[in-house]
């Protein structure tokens, strides 16, 4: 017996001291886990070179011993998993989910409790998460910080936005890690709700090694029931450290076991197109539990929106500055004459959508309350069911339905989220009664419950609650000002898109940098589809008002290319429809382009510089190509080798005119047809902040 | 023209500098208002003696100029009002609402905005409030503090509990104002949710002048859409200053105009019975807007409750420490065998209620979730509709209805208020489906939204929301751990009672002082009916478990007297029913006593010492008398002059036995009958913490 015990101890000692190790299926990535002084650490190598050095794992708790030390390893399991799965909507028809897994069980003998850390190593990177099994000594606890580190070994170049508890709506800064502190305070401008986290960056953050041979992207996957995080940066040591979003009391996560955190993801690639092709984040999300998904459909839409954004029309019906829902009698007020969401104007949009084959018409400002909706911390700000007097909900829906178009519901919450939750059922019932199947939600301003943030745990649970409720009513959700997507559209495919980044609207609010759209696919889009709202043809706002110097910082053709470069199964043609009627030949691309795909090839890419993407339309032989560049004119070599060998195709090529320029001559474009095959090559010139868009039809 | 202007200025000057003054209808009280250095002040005299000295008025705002200085008086109006009104349920059939009013309009010329202060002077005291008319420069603002002062002129004796943002569940301390600082830290014990406000007292606070000739009570009336307040105490200067309850961000009131604050009330009387007879707080509330009130009925009830409070039974069905609503399958768990809310036990209560003429049976612990409901900051803690497996909701309701009894719904929220609001409609629909007409709500623990307090503005709005929703469903609400009542039962008579003080349950949680019930009518009950849950016959808990030293600090007869002394149209017979069957003769009083009244006479009273009350049953010639004393034995002279002269009555007198004592011999009582007239006098002996209860029937 004694000998047996000694043997057992020896084995245990081995388990405890030996590092656990797994490789990716292709052997290129190695993950090592170990305890040092009872503290868990991991490191990651790529192509036999250390990528992430000895980095700490654990969590700090509010009460009692924390979960970041005093551990022994009590078990480790290794598994391999390989599946193909089909997304409901997506960039490709089928996705490979292939990884090797290491599951380490850690004991805290003193506290008599255990946690697990699960690592999944794919060919394209690493995901890991903390798991808290239900157990006698671990039922409820409060997390005050997650201690996860990611220590890079070199001074990578990063494309980053500053950490913030409430908004991701910033232009990106490109710098080395070591330069972040010096640039930090210049990295942001004002926002409707903003809580900057000093010396931190948001995820997804895109990184590139000094030698240019490794691309790394850090983010999270399957963010459910847990605060969103950003990364504190220790610039000297090239180290990121998790920083969870707190509530108003400084607490970060209220946990009931069993529970697991979201996955912390490190996507790794040796070239930029491979980075954009990664499905790691989606793969780390669970399959959808929905028994039917046929009600989830891609959406191409126009909307009464851009005219409000740049100031030609108003969301509000009057110029009152103090309204009381249910008391203010709008039929007795003086209309301001600029209200966008009026019957005749909306009908014009419905007619246009029907004529040009759009699925939906978004209408913002249709409901009472827009006079004093912002910045007042007003809780009963909207009821989500009462239209302004000039918006005939019933009639307009009937009109739209008769034309095969659906109006897209708009629920701006003003971040009075308690109020929204009170009205959620009533609001969705109204949508069902009128046959809506999609809602755009909005969270502009500071959150009520006061003290909560857009990315604090309570709000993460709220977004989920809305998506769950929407699913009950078979509605699709396009959430704006919500948390960074984390691949949850695999599990909840009715969460069809989100904003959660600086979209087209900022072209009227201070401007997006010309390289912005070449960065977004490497950052924001890594988590999921974005409702970027491209398609502005009239980029210069002086067209409407002579002294308006604002302009969209792209050429018209770049706007077309965005429909291909930026993947979303929900895409807006965001300009006011008059402008599409002015440029019917260019508009044809927006009409033709698919929004759901069987295949995707990233032909060329470099963050902040250019992206060239081709996609094959779902269930069709049509391909679409989009290429964009930053402020620099550029020639992209397009090789059509993705086409079926031997087949002939008709390509319509939308290109910047020779003298096109995003500042001086954005609407100069040239469209021509060309027969192509898989062997065709085109050296395509792009104007400064220009693009190219190609639709390809099999002959 | 110039002369006219001079004249106008002179008049204006007069308006500005002259103090505004009104008297109470009987001339005993004088209110004076004036500006000193552009700051508003008021003072109050009683019988030509200064009661409240020059006390500041105003509000501090978060942004911009505050509303506490820079004022001119632009208008003043005086009015007289006199009405009689009938409460739906009450202590008397008809109430006189007679006051003289001063309405002062103050301008801030610099900010171009105005507010009003409205004073109402009754014979029994003063009420005043701030009013914010809707205007161009005053639409939205945030209050960080209310600056209202009440400067007394002498060192009054106070019956007080410490200020707290979350609970009123304390024993009272009696001391002079000047002694409060020294006693403050001893004035409270621990509580489930507690946020003590240093050197402050809660309202209603009862005060008595050094010469014993003046009784003053400070509270508030009509608390709607505004935080509850306590009073900071400047003990040297005998001065109270308003202290509003903040939210988690330190903000106190988010205001949209038009708005007015609750009334700040100063009830004044020259004797204690007159204080207890004051209807000032009710009068300052608005008449009910309800078009029908016939669904609001008084309730006498028993309940499955006390056995859980003192620990004989459990709310929870199992001893699990981690349950997931909707996931934990209770049919597969091991019951703990102590669950109170089970079919057979509840039926026993229904049978008892039917047999003895009770309207309702409260059942706590009927629904899933009680295993881990407290102290976990668990949001999805209850769903308010799913019963434990041993509680057959449908059958028990049918059983109760068949016997003419209603089960009273219990909605403990665990203070997860966001969760409760999400389930409110579903919960009320279930109540309607099963024919419930009353709900006991509970708010134990810290509030979610986290950072909010039980008395912060958001919660005040929540309580109101529940009462409004209940009214839609024609339900009555008995709220526990809610804010101090402020007479809102005039406006919302379905808010039939509240706890909001240290009730009988504390006899098992550390004890109520023997004088507690002689103070409550002067404090907590000034705002409205309390669900004190009297009627414990088995006061010594050693009866159940030999070594249990806890005991209810009254005699049995005092428990009977409480049904008269403490006004509430909802009254519980709180003991477990076995004990009533042990003492059927004493129990008869509880069966007989009315809970709704045509008339009330306070025959004698002194806070902290004794109260003797007689009340006439609604629509009947029956009277009931209740008398109680503190820890001192006492003889109360009962004069029955309130009876009809010439008529004869049969009185059943329930008195402490000669050797009764709340500690050593609490169950010693004596019951006898006596024929009485309006000329009868009884010198009634009361044991230490004893009482007397008399039911009187006209012959």
């Amino acid at each position: 017996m004694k000998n047996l015990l000694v043997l057992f101890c020896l084995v245990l000692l081995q388990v405890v001291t030996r590092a656990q190790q797994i490789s990716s299926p292709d052997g290129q990535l190695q993950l090592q886990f170990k305890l040092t002084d009872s503290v868990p650490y991991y490191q990651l190598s790529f192509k036999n070179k250390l990528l992430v050095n000895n980095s700490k794992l654990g969590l700090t708790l509010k009460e009692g011993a924390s979960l970041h030390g005093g551990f022994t390893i009590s078990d480790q399991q290794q598994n391999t998993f390989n599946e193909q799965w089909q997304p409901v909507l997506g960039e490709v028809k089928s996705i490979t989910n292939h990884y090797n897994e290491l599951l380490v069980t850690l004991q805290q003998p003193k506290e008599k409790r255990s946690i697990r850390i699960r690592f999944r190593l794919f060919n394209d990177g690493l995901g890991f998460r903390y798991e808290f099994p239900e157990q006698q000594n671990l039922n409820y606890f409060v997390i005050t910080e997650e201690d996860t580190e990611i220590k890079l070994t070199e001074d990578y170049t990063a494309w980053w936005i500053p950490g913030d508890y409430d908004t991701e709506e910033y232009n990106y800064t490109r710098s080395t890690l070591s330069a972040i502190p010096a640039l930090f305070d210049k990295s942001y401008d004002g926002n409707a709700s903003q809580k900057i986290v000093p010396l931190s960056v948001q995820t997804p953050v895109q990184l590139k090694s000094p030698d240019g041979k490794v691309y790394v992207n850090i983010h999270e996957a399957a963010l459910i029931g847990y605060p969103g995080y950003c990364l504190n940066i220790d610039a000297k040591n090239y180290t990121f450290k998790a920083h969870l979003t707190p509530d108003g009391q400084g607490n970060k996560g209220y946990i009931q076991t069993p529970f697991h955190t979201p996955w912390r993801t490190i996507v790794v690639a040796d070239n930029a197109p491979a980075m954009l092709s990664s499905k790691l984040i989606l793969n780390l999300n669970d399959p959808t539990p929905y028994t039917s998904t046929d009600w989830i459909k891609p959406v191409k839409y126009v909307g009464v929106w851009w005219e409000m954004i740049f100031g030609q029309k108003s969301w509000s019906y009057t110029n009152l500055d103090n309204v009381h829902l249910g008391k203010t009698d709008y039929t007795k007020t003086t209309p301001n004459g600029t209200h966008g969401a009026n019957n005749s104007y909306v009908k014009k949009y419905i007619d246009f959508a029907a004529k040009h084959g759009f699925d939906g018409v978004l209408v913002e400002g249709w409901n009472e309350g827009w006079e004093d909706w912002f910045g007042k911390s007003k809780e009963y700000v909207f009821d989500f069911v009462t239209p302004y007097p000039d918006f005939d909900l019933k009639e307009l829906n009937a009109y739209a339905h008769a034309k095969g178009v659906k109006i897209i519901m708009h629920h701006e919450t003003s971040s009075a989220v308690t109020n929204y939750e009170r009205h959620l059922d009533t609001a969705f019932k109204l949508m069902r009664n009128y046959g809506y199947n999609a809602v755009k939600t909005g969270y502009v301003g500071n959150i009520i419950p006061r003290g909560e943030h857009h990315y604090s745990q309570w709000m993460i649970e709220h977004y989920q609650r809305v998506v769950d409720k929407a699913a009950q009513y078979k509605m699709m959700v396009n959430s704006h000002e919500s948390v960074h997507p984390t691949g949850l559209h695999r599990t909840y495919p009715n969460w069809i898109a989100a904003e959660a980044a600086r979209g087209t609207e900022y072209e009227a609010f201070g401007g997006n940098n010309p390289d912005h759209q070449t960065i977004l696919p490497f950052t924001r889009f890594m988590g999921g589809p974005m409702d970027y709202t491209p398609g502005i043809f009239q980029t210069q706002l002086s067209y409407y008002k002579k002294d308006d110097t604002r302009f969209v910082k792209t050429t018209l053709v770049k706007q077309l290319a965005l429909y291909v470069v930026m993947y979303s199964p929900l895409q807006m043609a965001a300009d006011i429809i008059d402008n599409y009627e002015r440029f019917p030949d260019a508009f044809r691309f927006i009409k033709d382009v698919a929004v759901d795909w069987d295949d995707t090839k990233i032909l060329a890419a470099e963050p902040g510089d250019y992206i060239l993407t081709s996609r094959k339309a779902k269930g069709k032989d049509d391909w679409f190509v989009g290429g964009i560049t930053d402020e620099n004119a550029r020639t992209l070599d397009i090789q059509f080798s993705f086409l079926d060998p031997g087949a002939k195709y008709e390509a319509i090529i939308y290109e910047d005119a020779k003298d096109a320029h995003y500042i001086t001559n954005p609407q100069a474009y040239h469209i021509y047809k060309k027969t192509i095959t898989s062997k065709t090559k085109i050296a395509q010139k792009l104007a400064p902040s220009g693009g190219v868009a190609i639709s390809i039809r099999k002959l």
Side-chain angles (χ1 to χ4, degrees), chain A:
Chain A
M1 185 65 197
K2 196 176 165 189
N3 284 352
L4 259 179
L5 194 68
V6 170
L7 185 68
F8 173 77
C9 287
L10 281 173
V11 171
L12 192 71
L13 204 66
Q14 262 199 320
V15 171
V16 171
T17 53
R18 197 184 58 207
Q20 320 296 318
Q21 192 159 324
I22 52 171
S23 297
S24 59
D26 66 1
Q28 298 271 46
L29 284 162
Q30 276 86 37
L31 177 276
Q32 201 185 68
F33 172 86
K34 63 176 176 178
L35 293 182
T36 303
D37 295 336
S38 311
V39 174
Y41 289 86
Y42 75 102
Q43 57 186 36
L44 183 66
S45 302
F46 180 51
K47 293 183 178 176
N48 297 318
K49 193 180 165 192
L50 202 57
L51 189 79
V52 178
N53 200 355
N54 230 15
S55 295
K56 207 180 277 191
L57 296 167
L59 301 113
T60 304
L61 306 194
K62 188 173 187 187
E63 287 171 353
S66 282
L67 292 165
H68 54 202
F71 287 112
T72 61
I73 298 176
S74 67
D75 190 35
Q76 70 98 2
Q77 292 174 32
Q78 296 189 13
N79 299 298
T80 293
F81 186 84
N82 195 347
E83 67 164 355
Q84 290 280 326
W85 62 276
Q86 287 70 46
V88 175
L89 306 172
E91 294 180 272
V92 293
K93 198 174 186 174
S94 185
I95 293 172
T96 300
N97 182 15
H98 188 194
Y99 58 81
N100 292 328
E101 180 175 275
L102 170 65
L103 177 63
V104 184
T105 303
L106 299 176
Q107 295 283 344
Q108 281 182 322
K110 206 173 153 194
E111 289 76 22
K112 290 187 182 144
R113 61 186 184 186
S114 74
I115 67 168
R116 293 191 298 239
I117 306 178
R118 190 183 296 269
F119 298 90
R120 287 188 181 165
L121 200 54
F122 302 78
N123 290 343
D124 53 349
L126 172 66
F128 61 90
R129 70 181 185 190
Y130 303 92
E131 301 184 351
F132 313 104
E134 186 177 334
Q135 57 199 284
Q136 202 181 340
N137 292 328
L138 200 64
N139 286 299
Y140 288 89
F141 57 96
V142 177
I143 295 172
T144 52
E145 196 52 279
E146 185 181 313
D147 305 319
T148 307
E149 286 179 348
I150 301 173
K151 284 192 183 193
L152 297 176
T153 51
E154 298 176 89
D155 196 7
Y156 276 65
T157 295
W159 288 263
W160 58 276
I161 55 174
D164 193 308
Y165 298 151
D166 287 291
T167 182
E168 309 97 341
E169 294 178 355
Y170 298 116
N171 273 309
Y172 285 85
T173 301
R174 173 196 172 130
S175 78
T176 56
L177 296 178
S178 58
I180 290 178
L183 294 168
F184 192 80
D185 287 344
K186 292 172 213 148
S187 71
Y188 53 91
D189 44 15
N191 211 291
S193 178
Q194 179 174 54
K195 178 72 185 170
I196 293 283
V197 184
L199 285 190
S200 74
V201 301
Q202 292 192 56
T203 71
V205 57
Q206 181 60 46
L207 301 153
K208 188 178 175 182
S209 63
D211 66 3
K213 290 185 178 167
V214 187
Y215 293 78
V216 174
N217 185 286
I218 305 174
H219 189 37
E220 59 183 325
L223 174 58
I224 297 177
Y226 196 78
Y229 82 160
C230 62
L231 299 170
N232 283 132
I233 173 101
D234 170 356
K236 274 187 199 161
N237 297 301
Y238 319 139
T239 299
F240 295 106
K241 204 194 135 298
H243 181 116
L244 303 176
T245 307
D247 68 8
Q249 313 305 295
N251 297 324
K252 299 195 166 180
Y254 299 83
I255 307 297
Q256 178 183 4
T257 62
F259 185 79
H260 55 74
T261 68
W263 298 94
R264 279 59 191 94
T265 62
I266 305 172
V267 181
V268 183
D270 58 10
N271 65 86
M275 174 58 66
L276 293 182
S277 304
S278 171
K279 296 289 172 284
L280 182 144
I281 288 168
L282 265 181
N283 280 329
L284 286 169
N285 279 270
D286 287 337
T288 183
Y290 297 168
T291 48
S292 82
T293 55
D294 54 352
W295 49 278
I296 299 166
K297 297 181 190 305
V299 179
K300 206 191 290 178
Y301 72 104
V302 290
V304 179
W305 175 78
W306 178 240
E307 44 274 74
M308 274 93 90
I309 294 292
F310 76 79
Q312 192 185 61
K313 292 192 183 288
S314 65
W315 282 274
S316 66
Y317 176 68
T318 75
N319 287 336
L320 297 172
D321 46 14
N322 185 339
V323 301
H324 294 262
L325 295 185
K327 290 177 190 167
T328 301
D329 181 353
Y330 277 100
T331 63
K332 291 179 180 157
T333 57
T334 309
N336 58 19
T338 58
H339 183 223
N342 67 72
N343 293 328
S344 66
Y345 194 67
V346 172
K347 277 185 186 167
K348 203 177 132 188
Y349 270 75
I350 294 169
D351 293 342
F352 180 88
K355 183 176 167 194
H356 296 289
F358 285 81
D359 305 292
V361 176
L362 169 72
V363 186
E364 296 205 356
W366 65 277
N367 57 327
E368 290 185 2
W370 284 92
E371 283 80 359
D372 54 0
W373 72 285
F374 175 70
K376 310 284 194 288
S377 202
K378 180 182 181 182
E379 191 168 7
Y380 186 34
V381 57
F382 292 119
D383 72 1
F384 310 98
V385 295
T386 308
Y388 279 127
D390 59 345
F391 185 85
D392 189 329
L393 192 58
K394 198 173 172 180
E395 190 205 322
L396 286 171
N397 271 283
Y399 187 83
H401 286 209
K403 299 210 164 195
V405 172
K406 284 183 193 272
I407 294 185
I408 297 175
M409 174 52 73
H410 184 225
H411 289 171
E412 173 56 50
T413 66
S414 179
S415 290
V417 185
T418 44
N419 178 61
Y420 186 40
E421 291 200 350
R422 275 174 215 130
H423 292 84
L424 213 47
D425 261 304
T426 323
F428 276 118
K429 274 176 198 158
L430 177 128
M431 285 172 62
R432 188 171 59 191
N433 290 346
Y434 286 118
Y436 284 87
N437 73 342
V439 58
K440 173 180 173 179
T441 59
Y443 297 88
V444 174
N446 293 331
I447 302 290
I448 304 177
R450 298 178 181 105
E452 296 290 348
H453 293 288
H454 283 74
Y455 316 142
S456 59
Q457 184 187 29
W458 195 90
M459 281 303 293
I460 302 305
E461 290 170 339
H462 166 76
Y463 303 128
Q464 191 66 45
R465 204 172 282 131
V466 172
V467 169
D468 291 346
K469 179 77 75 184
Q472 287 171 28
Y473 288 91
K474 302 202 169 177
M475 303 286 170
M476 295 181 283
V477 177
N478 166 21
S479 59
H480 280 229
E481 298 87 21
S482 49
V483 71
H484 51 216
T486 57
L488 285 169
H489 52 299
R490 178 180 181 187
T491 314
Y492 309 104
N494 65 317
W495 198 346
I496 189 165
E499 183 189 45
R502 197 171 174 107
T504 293
E505 62 184 5
Y506 272 84
E507 301 284 13
F509 299 163
N512 293 340
N513 293 338
D515 65 358
H516 188 59
Q517 304 88 355
T518 68
I519 301 169
L520 281 176
F522 288 94
T523 52
R524 164 61 185 81
F525 279 87
M526 291 296 287
M530 176 176 174
D531 184 27
Y532 185 78
T533 68
I536 304 298
F537 280 11
Q538 186 50 55
T539 56
Q540 291 161 319
L541 299 187
S542 58
Y543 174 78
Y544 306 103
K545 218 169 150 191
K546 213 177 164 187
D547 57 354
D548 192 337
T549 57
R550 296 174 297 172
F551 66 103
V552 178
K553 285 162 197 64
T554 74
T555 65
L556 185 151
V557 174
K558 187 175 179 183
Q559 291 288 319
L560 298 181
L562 295 179
Y563 289 89
V564 183
V565 168
M566 295 180 160
Y567 165 67
S568 177
L570 171 131
Q571 286 279 25
M572 187 177 197
D575 210 344
I576 57 179
I577 55 180
D578 296 357
N579 293 325
Y580 295 133
E581 282 163 350
R582 289 166 57 212
F583 303 97
D585 53 350
F587 180 57
R588 180 174 171 183
F589 184 80
I590 299 180
K591 288 174 62 171
D592 289 347
V593 68
V595 287
D596 190 23
W597 311 97
D598 271 345
D599 202 6
T600 288
K601 307 282 183 196
I602 310 297
L603 305 179
E606 192 56 35
D609 293 341
Y610 57 88
I611 297 176
L612 180 64
T613 302
S614 73
R615 302 191 197 266
K616 182 168 172 292
K618 182 77 120 198
K620 292 185 183 171
D621 284 322
D622 301 345
W623 285 80
F624 294 86
V625 174
I628 60 172
T629 180
D630 59 3
E631 69 279 11
N632 300 309
R634 194 179 300 273
T635 299
L636 293 177
D637 291 319
I638 310 178
Q639 302 198 13
F640 294 89
S641 53
F642 52 83
L643 296 175
D644 285 350
K648 280 191 175 176
Y649 295 81
E650 182 192 72
I652 307 176
I653 296 158
Y654 303 72
E655 63 180 0
D656 293 319
K658 285 195 177 101
D659 56 350
H661 191 284
Y662 74 104
I663 301 174
T664 53
N665 198 17
Q667 289 172 329
Y669 59 83
H670 171 237
I671 303 172
Y672 69 100
K673 287 188 185 173
K674 183 180 168 82
T675 302
I676 62 171
T677 70
S678 64
K679 291 182 180 160
T680 307
K681 294 178 188 181
I682 296 177
Q684 181 63 47
K685 285 190 180 163
L686 279 59
S689 201
V692 60
I694 308 176
S695 62
I696 300 167
R697 193 170 54 86
K698 202 171 194 176
L699 292 173

